[in-house]
Amino acid sequence: MNIHPKTQGPLILSGRDVTAVLGPTNTGKTHLAIERMVAHESGVIGLPLRLLAREVYARLCEKVGASKVALVTGEEKIQPAGARYSVCTVEAMPRETDAAFVAIDEVQLAGDLERGHIFTDRILHLRGRQETLLLGAATMQGILQKLLRGVAVVTRPRLSHLAYAGSKKLTRLPRRTAIVAFSADEVYAIAELIRRQQGGAAVVLGALSPRTRNAQVALYQNGEVDYLVATDAIGMGLNLDVDHVAFAQNRKFDGYQFRQLTAAELGQIAGRAGRHMRDGTFGVTGRVDPLDDDLVNKIEGHDFEPVKVLQWRTASFDFASLDALRRSIETPAPVEGLTRALPAVDAQALEYLSRDEEIRKLANRSDRVALLWDVCALPDYRRISPAQHADLIASIYMDLARLGHVDENYMAEQVRRADTTEGDIDTLSARIAQIRTWTFVSNRPGWLSDPAHWQEKTREIEDRLSDALHDRLTKRFVDRRTSVLMRRLRENTMSEAEISPAGSVLVEGHHVGELQGFRFTADQSAGGEAAKAVRAAAQKALATEFEARADRFAASGNNDIALGSDGVLRWIGAPIGTLVAGEDVLRPRLVLLADEQLTGPARDKVAARAERFVTFQIESLLKPLVDLKATEQLSGIARGIAFQLVENMGVLNRRDIAEEMRSLEQEGRAALRRLGVRFGAYHVFVPALLKPAPAQLVTLLWALQNDGKDKPGFGDVVNALATGRTSLVVDAGFDRNFYRLAGYRSLGRRAVRVDILERLADLIRPAINWKPGLGPRPDGAFDGGTFTVTPPMMSILGATAEDMEEILKGLGYRAEPKPADEVKAKVDTFDSAAREAAEATAAAEAAKAAEEEAAATAETATQGEQPVAETASAEPAPSDPQEPAPVDAALVEVAEPAAPEPETSEPMADPVEVAATVEQEEAAEPAAPEPAASEPMADPVEVAATV
């Protein structure tokens, strides 16, 4: 026997005019309800989720117009004046209605421990005047027939087949998969992994606001992402294009305990796979063990244990007093098949507040008790402790009991605290839960003095917070670039690539990588499927760019191309190729730096233009070496010297070819001079190669042949040459070859430019005082002489006295100490004349250099192709038309050493008193135009220097 909630009298529940439409998921039950409702003049439909209510509301608006449809939930009310149809959450359904049609969806939730009693109440008591539909799982058939006598049961088969697909790794799940977990942390972790591997995932949690959940579902539905990570909320009738459901967890907290999901719950969620006539699959992933055969058979066959009891709570409350209300809530179930529900959130709050003396004093009559029970129905959106939730209810209740409405200032302060979109996902979720509480309050009739204002205010804040949360979720779990590219690739609608001047490649407005020259580098932030999508999109979008770029490069001028000191050929800054060693030092090989997409004629064009530029650079900057190597005008000894000059990159120590020089005829000398060779006192060299650009190229070519690019000092010495340094301190860690290649000779602690050493010879030659009384040897050479080191000699070298001594020793001289007074007298006598001579020589050299520069400029202007511009630097001294007589036997007089003084790196302006006597084993031939250079003594005398 049942008790009617109003009359408290016995009532036999009837199923007359009630139809139960039962079956598994994807049977079209909700669609049927909508069609049946619009066939009546009025109707009410109750749905388990606000999200699903929103979906059905939108579908009804499309069918009959928004002016005829109302939406009623705990937090939202859209009620047009002429509305004929109402879409509600089950909790918001009226207890009584005059509507012609009533439908209640997902009636199997009447067995839910938390919400079941509400569904049971509507199932038992709410009826339409003409038709009532109960929609749900087939497991409800027996209990409905038991409780509602005469109910008509219609079973509907599933429209598509559902099959078990076993266990798959998260990274190998197919497209259009919903991955199910039961905690926010697990959902977020899975979504993060999917983003890295597959480009992104939408997230659906029960804690999200309906607006946020709708936006996330839309991401999935419109194909921006192929994966949905969700809780069991998706099992409640949401229409999704899911092909596969993968369970990443199979345990959940049901509000009271952690437990395994039942077969029916697994089937409800798995049934989301497949839609209409399209088949679906389900399986497990992550750490979930494969399902056993018996469970699989139940899910595939939709064969589940029937629901045996429904959760029930009386709808007849006694408001005479608080204690009477509490006793009425505990009324036992009246008939078999119903069981008294466990205390819900409202009952827990009432139990807590009934112990508060202030509340008991206010709830002193039936209307106040009814009001308290009404306030206890406030949902706990924040999921806080029962005591905290009860405190909030107490604050609202005391305002209502004392003021007749919630205090406006209190309401404003609570709303203000939630009104900010700053923060992370968890922070925004907490604010949404808070504002949903006040949205609920604003929609309760009679609770506020100005409900319209607060309904609009709280709705606007909730929408803004929901949008911000959706944005945060999307930024964290969706790589929009990858998702867009993958969709475009599937649709074969990829647009042309956009390439910025800096080389950034954009496809569909998304950065996919960098194109430098003919090499594409994909964005390294993408991984897994995302990386594949980026590469595929770029290759497709850049298909025609390589050919167009090859044509532009082939037609480009020399000013757009440069060969770096590292051997890399660059076109407008982008690397095109790199030089490697060839069989001939002056003919290096060029290796293109290009992707495989540069093929065929386009690749040939690029290679030909690059090789032509490299050849031109070598032939222009190293023309003397190329001419010496290729000339047919030389023969005999002259040809041998030319070969050695090429082999040594343009600089030879004269001492190393002394025998050849003695035998070289004047005709051979003249021919070598015409080819740019200069015969100096210490070196035979090519002055044109002492400029920074040729020296840099010479160093690079030598390094390529001798694996020298990684040796210490590569490029550093040439950089010093470019600054105009005439000498520099030798770095012991550098390879000595780099000094020679740059045109320097290492002498002690310093390396001196070879043309500067020849200028030093020009200063030494007139300063020599040949030894008196010493006649010529039988071979005609003098035995020796002496000279004094002067400031101009040190100045052109940038050397200190101690450096000067080492430099002279390195050139083959020997030092002897002399009295200081004697040296000073000679220095004073010589200094003035030497300074004037040096200034005159410098002026003459500068004038001649200017003439040669003007001639070179005019010659270059007539050439078809121009070499790369050189860095400005000090030019070496021009070759003398006549060979200078070598400075051979001489003595450098220096005062006897006093106490040594600190060394200085700057040349001194005053005459320097230095002790150094120099002799050479072989003297110059005074009559011969080219005396032979002599070898330095094997054991030179070490002396101190005094300034």
Side-chain angles (χ1 to χ4, degrees), residues 5-25:
K6 289 186 179 264
T7 65
Q8 297 293 304
L11 178 68
I12 301 299
L13 293 174
S14 172
R16 186 169 56 87
D17 297 328
V18 177
T19 301
V21 181
L22 308 178
T25 54

Side-chain angles (χ1 to χ4, degrees), residues 252-493:
K252 65 176 287 188
F253 183 72
D254 61 7
Y256 298 94
Q257 62 180 349
F258 282 99
R259 62 172 178 81
Q260 293 283 126
L261 270 70
T262 66
E265 289 170 328
L266 289 170
Q268 181 74 22
I269 299 168
R272 292 299 116 195
R275 188 173 183 185
H276 195 52
M277 303 301 293
R278 189 175 69 245
D279 293 339
T281 58
F282 68 97
V284 296
T285 188
R287 295 185 295 273
V288 179
D289 293 331
L291 304 181
D292 60 63
D293 293 342
D294 183 57
L295 182 56
V296 169
N297 291 333
K298 287 181 178 180
I299 296 173
E300 289 182 341
H302 316 293
D303 181 17
F304 307 116
E305 290 292 325
V307 176
K308 296 179 179 179
V309 294
L310 303 184
Q311 300 295 314
W312 176 88
R313 187 175 72 182
T314 183
S316 178
F317 301 108
D318 186 351
F319 297 124
S321 66
L322 277 178
D323 293 335
L325 175 61
R326 291 166 60 197
R327 286 193 298 270
S328 66
I329 293 173
E330 296 176 358
T331 301
V335 297
E336 186 180 355
L338 301 179
T339 183
R340 183 167 64 85
L342 294 171
V345 173
D346 52 2
Q348 292 175 7
L350 180 67
E351 188 66 26
Y352 181 87
L353 293 174
S354 65
R355 297 193 292 268
D356 188 318
E357 286 301 322
E358 189 172 2
I359 296 295
R360 294 188 70 88
K361 288 179 182 179
L362 286 173
N364 55 4
R365 57 179 192 265
S366 61
D367 60 326
R368 292 281 184 86
V369 175
L371 177 62
L372 177 59
W373 181 238
D374 193 23
V375 178
C376 285
L378 178 69
D380 184 12
Y381 296 112
R382 299 178 295 170
R383 300 292 181 181
I384 54 180
S385 68
Q388 288 178 297
H389 184 61
D391 287 341
L392 175 62
I393 291 172
S395 298
I396 295 172
Y397 173 70
M398 285 189 286
D399 281 350
L400 291 172
R402 292 168 177 168
L403 304 176
H405 57 80
V406 177
D407 182 78
E408 293 278 333
N409 294 329
Y410 174 72
M411 178 85 172
E413 176 61 20
Q414 299 303 314
V415 170
R416 183 193 65 78
R417 290 180 182 178
D419 189 12
T420 174
T421 57
E422 299 298 323
D424 58 14
I425 290 173
D426 292 337
T427 301
L428 288 172
S429 296
R431 290 202 190 105
I432 289 174
Q434 184 177 351
I435 200 64
R436 287 179 72 184
T437 299
W438 300 107
T439 301
F440 183 90
V441 169
S442 66
N443 281 281
R444 298 300 291 174
W447 282 22
L448 296 172
S449 58
D450 187 5
H453 164 75
W454 289 112
Q455 287 169 11
E456 181 179 352
K457 179 73 173 177
T458 55
R459 171 60 51 218
E460 185 269 332
I461 293 173
E462 182 180 336
D463 287 350
R464 194 149 31 84
L465 289 172
S466 297
D467 291 342
L469 178 57
H470 170 66
D471 181 66
R472 299 289 196 285
L473 289 169
T474 303
K475 286 181 178 178
R476 179 172 173 182
F477 300 124
V478 178
D479 184 343
R480 284 193 176 275
R481 173 193 61 187
T482 303
S483 62
V484 168
L485 295 180
M486 292 179 75
R487 187 171 72 252
R488 293 293 190 221
L489 285 170
R490 289 195 302 270
E491 297 170 354
N492 199 28
T493 57

Side-chain angles (χ1 to χ4, degrees), residues 167-189:
S167 177
K168 296 180 184 294
K169 291 184 178 180
L170 277 169
T171 55
R172 296 185 178 277
L173 291 172
R175 292 179 52 245
R176 312 311 290 170
T177 289
I179 305 162
V180 180
F182 298 100
S183 71
D185 289 343
E186 188 72 10
V187 166
Y188 292 158

Side-chain angles (χ1 to χ4, degrees), residues 612-676:
R612 186 157 54 94
F613 177 83
V614 172
T615 300
F616 172 69
Q617 289 295 101
I618 294 174
E619 292 181 351
S620 298
L621 294 176
L622 307 185
K623 186 176 187 300
L625 284 184
V626 175
D627 291 346
L628 284 169
K629 182 178 178 62
T631 184
E632 299 292 337
Q633 304 173 11
L634 301 176
S635 61
I637 294 175
R639 189 172 184 83
I641 292 175
F643 176 81
Q644 291 187 65
L645 277 170
V646 173
E647 194 174 47
N648 288 275
M649 295 301 190
V651 178
L652 290 172
N653 286 349
R654 183 163 180 155
R655 182 185 306 160
D656 295 338
I657 56 170
E659 293 299 327
E660 290 91 332
M661 291 302 300
R662 289 192 187 97
S663 305
L664 183 62
E665 299 178 352
Q666 291 298 322
E667 183 180 347
R669 296 171 192 269
L672 287 169
R673 286 195 189 98
R674 286 193 296 271
L675 291 170

Side-chain angles (χ1 to χ4, degrees), residues 881-898:
Q882 297 297 326
E883 225 176 284
V887 181
D888 281 335
L891 291 175
V892 182
E893 297 183 352
V894 187
E896 289 285 358

Side-chain angles (χ1 to χ4, degrees), residues 47 77 84 139 160 205 210 351 403 437 475 481 531 591 637 716 754 803 826 863 920 943:
L47 299 150
K77 288 183 174 60
R84 294 163 46 194
T139 55
S160 61
L205 296 168
E351 188 66 26
L403 304 176
T437 299
K475 286 181 178 178
R481 173 193 61 187
V591 177
I637 294 175
D716 296 327
V754 295
D803 292 336
K826 291 184 179 182
Q863 295 180 0
Q920 291 186 302
V943 298

